[in-house]
Amino acid sequence: MKRIVIIITLINFLILHAFAQTRITGTVVDAAGLEMIGSSIIQKGTTNGVITDINGEFTINLLPNAEKVLVISSVGYVKQEVDVSSRTNINVILQEDQIALEEVVVVGYGTQKKVSITGSISNVSSKDLTDVPVTSVSNALTGRVSGLVTRQISGRPGGDAAQLFIRGQASFNTTAPLILVDGVERSFNQIDSEDIESISVLKDASATAVYGVRGANGVILVTTKRGDEGKSKISLSSEYGITHFTAIPQQLNAENTARLQREGSYNDGLDITTSGNTNNFPASEYDMYLYRTQLKPFTHPDNDLVDIFTKPGSRQRYNLNISGGNKVLKYFVGLGYLEQTGMYQTDVEELRKHPTFAKLISLSPEVDKALVNPDYNPEYLYRRITARTNLDININDDFSIGIDMSYRFGNQNRPAAYSIIDANSDGENMRLFAMFIRNPPQAFPLIHASGAMSSAHTRWRQNPLITLAYTGYRNDTDNDMELTAKFQYNLRKLLKGLSIDGKYAFDNSWGNFRGMGWRPFVYSYDEATNAYTQGLNGFLPKTESSKSSPISREYAELAVRYNNTFNSVHKISGVVLTNFRSSKARSGQYSYVPHVYQALIGRVNYEYDERYLIEFNMGYNGSNRFAEGHRYDFFPAVSAGWVPTNESFFPKNNILNFAKLRASAGQVGNDNIGGFSYYYRSSYENTNNTKYSFGVTHNPYINGLIEGTLPNELITWETATKYNVGFDSQWFKSRLSFNLDFFQELRSNILTNPGRFIVAAGTVGLPPSNLGIVENKGFETELGWSDKIGQFQYFAKGMFAFARNEIIERSEEAQPYDYLYRKGNPIGQFYGYQFMGFFQSVEEIAAAPQQFGLTNVVPGDMRYKDINGDGVIDQNDETPIGYSTVPEITFSGQFGFSYKNFDISLMLQGATNVTVNPTNEVGWDNRFGAFFEEHLNRWTPETASTATYPLLRKASLPNTNNYYTSTFWLKDGSYLRLKNLQFGYAIPKKALRKTPLNSIRLYANGFNLFTLTEVTYVDPEMDPNQSNGFYYPQQKVFNVGINVTF
Amino acid sequence: MKKYIYIISFIALFILPACDFMDEIPTEWHTPEAAFQLETTYERNINQGYAYIRNGYNRINGAFLDAATNDGTATMLNSNIHKLAQGFYNAQSPILNIWNNSYTGIRQTHFTEKYLKEVQLFLNGKTEKDVADIKKEGIAQMWALRALYEFDLLQHYGGYVIIDSYMEISDPRFNTLERSSFETCVNNIVTLCDSAALYLPVKHANFGRMEKGTAMAIKAKTLLYAASALYNRSGNTNPLVGYVNASAVDIENRWKAAAAALNEVINLKNGAVNRYALHANYAALFNATPNQNNEYIVFYATAQGNGLERRQYPPTLSVTSGGGTVPSQQFVDAFTNADGSAYTRASGAAPTYTGRDPRFDMIVGYDGSNYGPRGTIYTRLGDGETNDGLNQVKDFSTITGYYLRKFLNTTINFSVASPGNTYHLFPFIRLADVLLMYAEAMTQAYGFESDPQGYGLTAKQALQMVRTRAGFNAATDQYLAGVTTKDAQLQKIYDERRIELAFEEARYFDLRRWMKTDELSEPIKGMRIDNNAGNLTYTEITVDNQRVFEEKMYFAPIPKNEILVFPALQQNPGW
């Protein structure tokens, strides 16, 4: 080939030289001054063209009979025409295509030019996703899409995906968006972000109507990379990071803790002299002296558990991508490996080095003997292998097929921590996190001088040494296999613009685990009697377990598409598509009954002269979770757009160069109404939990048969009626962009359990019915600026979104006061008491409204407001307080600049109008356990006027006076985060000239680096369902990496 | 070729949606028809009817209902039982809310009855007639259970909503439900019991099932309630809470009806012998092996366990908890002397724990009390103080100086790996209760020592039967010495009920139906014992001086939600 090129070139040279033709040389660079390889240089109006070489240089001989103008272009850059009639050497700087008006966006069942979109769709490119060192792709979306609220509720390796809410929530059932990968409903969290080309987020009815019964919560479309025609591109990246907890509770030291515990017992009127009951936390000043000096660490320890049992975790990721192709075959191959370790210290060898353990070892040879690593690995570890092959084959000019294959293998390892069996149980997280908040530092030594495992009475499972290292392990493997075969047939011979395509996908997921649980005997020790009390029985290794829960899914679709332009101004396109989806999983009572969806979908677009746009969408869907006759429904949507800047009357100017107004209205459904239940069938369940028994042995209980939920044949999906108006604009030669969307949604038919029914009729509950109505409205806006000054490029981009919902109807239980109804408030609105300060005297308590019928309220306890004025504080005095756990306002700011080979970017992200409610040990002073800084400022008779925390009591239990949900405990969950910071450096291409390498980029970045928030011991994105903090904490990541292309 | 592709594709496009893939629906759930036709499972439906019988051992936050009377209190400081006793409850948080449970049970009995009638059943080795009898008996069990659930409603609320058949979700009656009068409800229970008694066996091989005597006892207790003072108040105009304009003759006839029904229970024969007999040993009765227990008539039957001991043992004998419901000083003072003569303790004087009613040691744990194999427990403070001492461990140690000893099986030992299990069947009606109710009804109807109907047992004899079993010698018993008036005789019967049926949920309702509610507002007393080098000093303490009884508390409030949703349901007076 090369030889032929040389020969032709020589011939050309000879011939053209003879005709004295012109030879032009030049270089093409980008705005940063970097050489552009592979840019195309074509003489205008001819097919005469060359491509720039590795140095960005080219040489072209002009044809004599054509214009002496060169057209220089490269994908993603603005095309340039250069007149070379008077020059033989040119230097061209190509500008990145900022407007990207020609950008094509993936929409529901198709693609569309961004400029002609009339719905509300946001798009995230591949680069944005790979800039962030996260494991789950969902976390990379944070702050990138206006109107997408993310909440990362766990940092557990392999299980740290974020919850997603598109435009907040409009239903009290599931509000999770529908997620499709390459057009098929699939999970995207564990896809390697290097394999993703783009992500589209569809927000309004116009964009989602085609998803019919499943689109109401919004849709996220993930598109994976495919091969392009051209030279093979090989990209290799490798990165390594370390991880830390974003927030972890730091306990007070032993002496302070002991003092506060003693004070709590004293306040409860308990005996706190050392001769009294140990449960009363007696401690003498001599004990305090020992806590302070650590002279007797076996009886008076001071364990800094966070310091001892946490460590930085690590994260490493490797990815190899190869793509390329020719006219017949295009390919993309991606291979990825990820490994993440946890932040709990499970290695006994490492623990031995910690000063606390080192001291115990030096004091007792028995401890030295006892502290050995077990013969298994209990560490937190997640490993993921991903492989993907996307192939496109052109059979002939009209007919092409595609084969996509993806396989993911995930492997999670963790300490058993007393719960091997429950795969998704937070049980083990509970034990792990709880050790920081439930174990006072002086409660027990981590190990006794005799080498016996140690704990305190009533908290036998809490010793972190045992929990982490000596309870066994659990190892899970998960497999996801996804196969897609598709075809496309261009029917232009039948009718210009007509094509037909189809797709069949088969996915299968399965997994299994192996686990082993054991534990040593646990003892407490009494110094006075020198006696050990055995608390928790040990047992030998057992319960090795394994199981698999396969899920298989099928999907098929067939579409006819039409796309044509008449008279160069009337653009008409449309699609008619039918699909079928079936999913089989072992789940609950209806295991392996396939969940089936079927749909007929249609769309028509009409565009006149790039000025007027109109689009009709409709979905006709069915789902087999409803009764016959209630299975199918029709979901229409219409949208329209107007581009005034394309009007002839609109003056061409340098201020506003593009503007589009758009509006949409339509209906979408949501059938995700809590589990896949067949509410239209009545159910009867066997039970052995009657607690009643017959006969002499009275064991076991009798088996009964319970009348389950009553059937409701009329049950159907939720219906969302959505309106959206938007404005897109580009200003100052597209340096400034500004978009604004207002939306309003009325979600009706929300499935809810009727609260109004008569108990005397004996129905424990009526069947769920479509009774709920929620209104959700808000806006989102984006403002961006980007420009360059010479080789200095910079950009700034801000996003702000607001969504507020209001329950219009919810069929609530009847309430005596109107303000007790959840109706009229947002979903998840907190309810509680209004904190009025601390009681300062017995007289004040006597004069105040009686609180909850409690007779043990004392000065220093909290006082609440009597809302209904009946002289009693009870549940009738609860009012809406704070917000819900889903933020109403989310915002982000992205900033970046690049200069020559350097680039820096950062993202600040935040949320407000959100409330978190930490309870129990992470919210309150702990009954037996740890105390924190804020508890030092508790109420005492001496500090009565300045106290910020109530009187300490020994029993911090729910439903005691101070621990009702109140304005005192709710925390403002607003936060502002340095979500992402990145430094990059590209090795100058010149330095690579003699190597096969095309580029090398070095970078350092971070995630969740810094957080400003009022929430103290836990991350502000804490899981609201684990309000006691029992989950694996979120993490921050410091990461370095290298990317090499060939 | 290409043409065919087009044609096939187009056809496919329109066929695909026409195919219905929706036919795959769940086929593996249980339809009642299928389950009730199966020989192996048909009984489950009947069994489920029993699942709503209440267990008095953990009535309210683990405390006995009697902790809301002057017999005792509970160690858990923030237990709802205190709110109940101190009057901190209302229609919105009624605390004693059995409305839901009773109606769930009632619906289940209708559900079972409906399907027993409708479903065809074939049983191995049984004739058509056998099956019909089985069905009849099953339905009769449902009637008896419904009577029990309805009696529970009656004693809490007075007149309630009578649901007389299974109601489909679309039943128009949902909109018109209302409470029936007390009188109608009593008659309804009596009818149910009479019908059930026709088909139920005298003794069921499967202990714990409804029997003929069960139905008769529920009826008898209902009639006794119907005759009681609370429901026959002169001038009452509200039919929901009792008879309207009850005349002296009406009342007398009601006592007579109660006496007759109670007599039938006492004399119910199983072959030649009485179906029910007093257990020889009062202490062992409550842990007796079911098939050797001929005293329990209506009860909650459950598997063996040791949860009650774990909760009620003094803390030194329990593992992590202990305490629970504890007797009061006035309850301790209510026990007679060993000879049956009244025990009196001068105000502030030290109590005597020896030489008392033989049941004293079996019911109350006190300072120096013997817990059989578990040894002796001490509640004293000072020298030799343990966690059993007054107020030693919050929520667990006694707050009155006493522990509840009754019902506990002291072979349960928590200091070993296997503490052991025992029977804890909670009695609602047992023969001793029936005998005392009989004594009450006879005294009211005919007098303490007369038997004009020839029942073969006078009130005095019935009372004495109970006392004899308790360990008193009928010949030397001083209990009735000098008792001559009807009121004094009744008082003796009441006092006997207090001791014999202590902590069996009798007193909470007895005090109400007798209208002796002064006792519900008296402060709860306890005894502090200090040990100073062997010198014990006794100080009477007040444990709870906030006990309240108001007129409205004769009846429990109907849950507020129920009233708000269906205003036709009338709330009880005062709530």
Side-chain angles (χ1 to χ4, degrees), chain B residues 76-296:
Chain B
M76 287 286 248
L77 282 180
N78 286 315
S79 164
N80 275 335
I81 194 77
H82 298 304
K83 295 186 183 179
L84 184 68
Q86 296 170 349
F88 290 116
Y89 63 100
N90 54 36
Q92 202 178 353
S93 45
I95 298 186
L96 205 59
N97 184 3
I98 57 126
W99 189 266
N100 198 330
N101 180 67
S102 298
Y103 278 108
T104 310
I106 288 169
R107 183 178 176 85
Q108 182 66 37
T109 62
H110 283 306
F111 177 75
T112 304
E113 190 178 332
K114 169 180 147 87
Y115 280 101
L116 272 175
K117 282 178 183 159
E118 286 176 2
V119 168
Q120 234 184 351
L121 181 65
F122 300 98
L123 299 176
N124 186 28
K126 303 274 197 235
T127 66
E128 217 167 291
K129 186 183 173 301
D130 293 341
V131 172
D133 288 345
I134 286 170
K135 283 185 163 191
K136 255 184 224 161
E137 196 208 309
I139 291 169
Q141 289 182 40
M142 293 306 114
W143 290 341
L145 283 166
R146 198 180 310 147
L148 179 58
Y149 297 140
E150 292 192 12
F151 173 71
D152 213 8
L153 288 167
L154 187 81
Q155 68 173 350
H156 283 85
Y157 301 103
Y160 50 88
V161 181
I162 295 176
I163 307 286
D164 58 4
S165 64
Y166 180 81
M167 290 169 79
E168 299 287 349
I169 199 71
S170 52
D171 199 312
R173 285 178 295 169
F174 275 115
N175 300 319
T176 57
L177 294 174
E178 56 181 13
R179 292 172 69 187
S180 296
S181 71
F182 179 82
E183 184 174 6
T184 311
C185 291
V186 168
N187 295 341
N188 194 57
I189 296 172
V190 169
T191 309
L192 278 171
C193 290
D194 284 342
S195 312
L198 287 178
Y199 299 101
L200 290 173
V202 172
K203 183 159 186 170
H204 208 297
N206 217 352
F207 190 86
R209 283 198 189 273
M210 292 289 126
E211 294 174 356
K212 192 184 190 84
T214 320
M216 289 163 63
I218 296 166
K219 169 188 167 184
K221 192 160 188 170
T222 306
L223 289 173
L224 178 92
Y225 268 60
S228 297
L230 174 62
Y231 306 106
N232 293 282
R233 282 179 288 183
S234 63
N236 175 43
T237 53
N238 184 349
L240 294 178
V241 296
Y243 293 100
V244 177
N245 297 327
S247 69
V249 178
D250 291 340
I251 297 171
E252 193 184 323
N253 285 335
R254 279 172 201 139
W255 284 117
K256 285 179 179 169
L262 288 157
N263 171 59
E264 283 182 38
V265 179
I266 296 165
N267 283 308
L268 179 66
K269 292 281 187 283
N270 183 24
V273 296
N274 276 354
R275 168 64 183 89
Y276 301 111
L278 291 174
H279 195 276
N281 182 338
Y282 182 79
L285 165 66
F286 303 103
N287 308 121
T289 308
N291 62 355
Q292 289 162 20
N293 186 342
N294 285 320
E295 182 167 340
Y296 278 24

Side-chain angles (χ1 to χ4, degrees), chain B residues 301-525:
Chain B
T302 190
Q304 294 192 64
N306 57 30
L308 192 68
E309 280 78 11
R310 191 179 289 271
R311 187 77 195 98
Q312 295 295 336
Y313 265 172
T316 55
L317 302 183
S318 187
V319 189
T320 53
S321 51
T325 301
V326 291
S328 62
Q329 182 62 45
Q330 53 260 60
F331 178 65
V332 168
D333 290 343
F335 286 84
T336 63
N337 290 315
D339 64 357
S341 62
Y343 168 81
T344 45
R345 184 174 63 85
S347 175
T352 317
Y353 297 140
T354 52
R356 305 289 296 276
D357 184 325
R359 288 168 293 191
F360 181 63
D361 278 350
M362 306 170 189
I363 295 175
V364 179
Y366 51 89
D367 186 57
S369 191
N370 183 355
Y371 271 64
R374 300 280 69 73
T376 306
I377 62 123
Y378 294 98
T379 62
R380 61 189 65 172
L381 302 172
D383 298 353
E385 170 185 300
T386 66
N387 281 349
D388 298 343
L390 187 73
N391 292 333
Q392 281 308 288
V393 185
K394 190 181 177 219
D395 289 341
F396 299 137
S397 297
T398 179
I399 57 174
T400 59
Y402 301 100
Y403 290 98
L404 182 62
R405 173 80 161 75
K406 190 176 173 180
F407 309 118
L408 307 183
N409 185 339
T410 48
T411 61
I412 304 291
N413 181 1
F414 291 109
S415 57
V416 297
S418 307
N421 288 313
T422 188
Y423 289 106
H424 284 306
L425 277 51
F426 186 82
F428 283 116
I429 308 178
R430 57 186 173 94
L431 185 57
D433 183 12
V434 172
L435 287 168
L436 291 173
M437 288 193 287
Y438 177 78
E440 184 182 340
M442 287 297 279
T443 307
Q444 292 275 17
Y446 308 109
F448 192 52
E449 292 186 69
S450 61
D451 177 19
Q453 301 292 331
Y455 294 144
L457 195 67
T458 64
K460 185 177 179 183
Q461 287 165 334
L463 174 66
Q464 204 59 54
M465 277 174 77
V466 174
R467 290 186 61 79
T468 304
R469 191 272 303 271
F472 289 99
N473 185 335
T476 60
D477 192 353
Q478 297 298 303
Y479 190 59
L480 296 168
V483 174
T484 51
T485 65
K486 183 179 168 188
D487 282 348
Q489 288 156 348
L490 282 171
Q491 189 58 48
K492 283 294 169 187
I493 295 168
Y494 297 164
D495 290 348
E496 183 62 22
R497 271 185 85 79
R498 181 177 190 179
I499 303 299
E500 172 69 23
L501 303 174
F503 297 94
E504 293 180 29
E505 296 200 353
R507 192 162 180 76
Y508 184 88
F509 298 107
D510 278 346
L511 286 176
R512 282 172 167 74
R513 69 180 176 89
W514 297 330
M515 299 182 74
K516 291 185 175 299
T517 47
D518 285 354
E519 297 193 39
L520 288 172
S521 52
E522 66 184 38
I524 298 301
K525 302 288 186 183

Side-chain angles (χ1 to χ4, degrees), chain A residues 563-764:
Chain A
N563 188 349
N564 209 347
T565 307
F566 300 95
N567 297 337
S568 75
V569 288
H570 303 282
K571 274 190 200 162
I572 293 173
S573 63
V575 57
V576 178
L577 183 147
T578 176
N579 66 13
F580 159 82
R581 178 183 174 271
S582 167
S583 158
K584 292 177 198 168
R586 179 203 291 270
S587 62
Q589 195 179 356
Y590 307 110
S591 52
Y592 293 112
V593 178
H595 307 164
V596 180
Y597 294 99
Q598 255 185 288
L600 182 65
I601 289 149
R603 170 163 50 223
V604 178
N605 295 65
Y606 171 72
E607 186 181 327
Y608 176 73
D609 196 22
E610 295 190 339
R611 282 184 282 160
Y612 305 103
L613 314 157
I614 188 157
E615 179 175 318
F616 298 94
N617 284 292
M618 76 100 189
Y620 181 70
N621 292 62
S623 157
N624 73 333
R625 69 168 73 184
F626 305 110
E628 223 170 324
H630 300 275
R631 282 186 187 151
Y632 287 90
D633 207 352
F634 180 73
F635 296 95
V638 61
S639 60
W642 176 46
V643 185
T645 44
N646 285 351
E647 294 282 1
S648 52
F649 61 76
F650 197 89
K652 292 285 167 234
N653 62 71
N654 281 336
I655 300 169
L656 177 60
N657 55 318
F658 174 79
K660 180 168 71 177
L661 290 163
R662 52 191 163 75
S664 74
Q667 275 195 336
V668 219
N670 176 27
D671 79 334
N672 204 343
I673 46 183
F676 200 100
S677 301
Y678 297 86
Y679 291 115
Y680 65 93
R681 313 294 308 231
S682 51
S683 72
Y684 302 90
E685 285 172 37
N686 280 319
T687 169
N688 54 8
N689 196 28
T690 55
K691 300 282 185 202
Y692 197 86
S693 37
F694 296 131
V696 175
T697 59
H698 278 263
N699 222 355
Y701 301 125
I702 52 171
N703 287 316
L705 188 77
I706 292 182
E707 186 186 17
T709 324
L710 298 177
N712 180 356
E713 291 230 341
L714 302 175
I715 270 185
T716 186
W717 36 68
E718 302 173 4
T719 307
T721 308
K722 298 185 176 196
Y723 303 94
N724 191 88
V725 291
F727 173 64
D728 301 334
S729 62
Q730 308 273 357
W731 305 70
F732 310 116
K733 295 182 179 169
S734 294
R735 280 180 294 195
L736 177 83
S737 66
F738 173 68
N739 302 334
L740 181 64
D741 271 79
F742 287 94
F743 65 88
Q744 200 250 358
E745 167 178 5
L746 191 71
R747 187 79 65 97
S748 59
N749 278 352
I750 300 175
L751 197 71
T752 182
N753 286 309
R756 285 169 177 267
F757 62 95
I758 188 161
V759 176
T763 47
V764 181

